[in-house]
């Protein structure tokens, strides 16, 4: 049973999730489940902005906020910069990671 089937509709409506490695595979599936439950999702990719934007577009097609980012998370300051960009968006700070 998926998160969206177990959780009440829009259970994560006020939350923002940063999902690393969410441009494909399991990370993408997690990002889509969080979006289906109402979360805004920051989609991370290490190498392909196009792949991150593809997942973000799938999230937006669900009627949720999705944004793709390219980041080398091995650099200590990189996650702070990317999450800081997200905080400037429509919703508040990041609530789940």
């Amino acid at each position: 049973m998926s998160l969206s089937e177990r959780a009440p509709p829009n259970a994560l409506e006020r939350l923002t999730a940063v999902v690393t490695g969410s441009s494909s595979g399991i990370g993408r599936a997690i990002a889509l489940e969080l979006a289906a439950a109402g979360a805004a999702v920051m989609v991370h990719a290490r190498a392909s902005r196009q792949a991150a934007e593809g997942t973000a577009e799938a999230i937006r097609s669900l009627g949720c906020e999705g944004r793709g980012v390219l980041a080398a998370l091995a650099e200590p300051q990189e996650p702070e910069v990317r999450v800081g960009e997200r905080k400037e968006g429509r919703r508040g700070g990041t609530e789940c990671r």
Side-chain angles (χ1 to χ4, degrees):
M1 180 178 289
S2 70
L3 173 63
S4 58
E5 292 170 331
R6 289 187 313 233
N10 298 320
L12 303 179
E13 181 175 23
R14 295 177 183 232
L15 301 181
T16 300
V18 176
V19 184
T20 60
S22 54
S23 63
S24 64
I26 293 170
R28 178 182 168 96
I30 291 168
L32 291 171
E33 282 294 318
L34 290 168
V41 181
M42 180 181 275
V43 177
H44 163 261
R46 179 178 46 86
S48 174
R49 181 174 298 280
Q50 183 177 3
E53 282 301 325
T55 300
E57 181 58 37
I59 289 167
R60 290 189 293 270
S61 76
L62 296 172
C64 295
E65 186 178 349
R67 180 168 176 209
V69 296
L70 193 62
L73 299 181
E75 299 298 324
Q77 73 281 4
E78 193 74 13
E80 266 184 51
V81 169
R82 298 302 176 194
V83 172
E85 288 175 8
R86 175 71 202 111
K87 287 181 179 180
E88 293 173 12
R90 201 180 63 179
R91 296 185 187 204
T94 304
E95 301 294 335
C96 50
R97 300 176 194 214

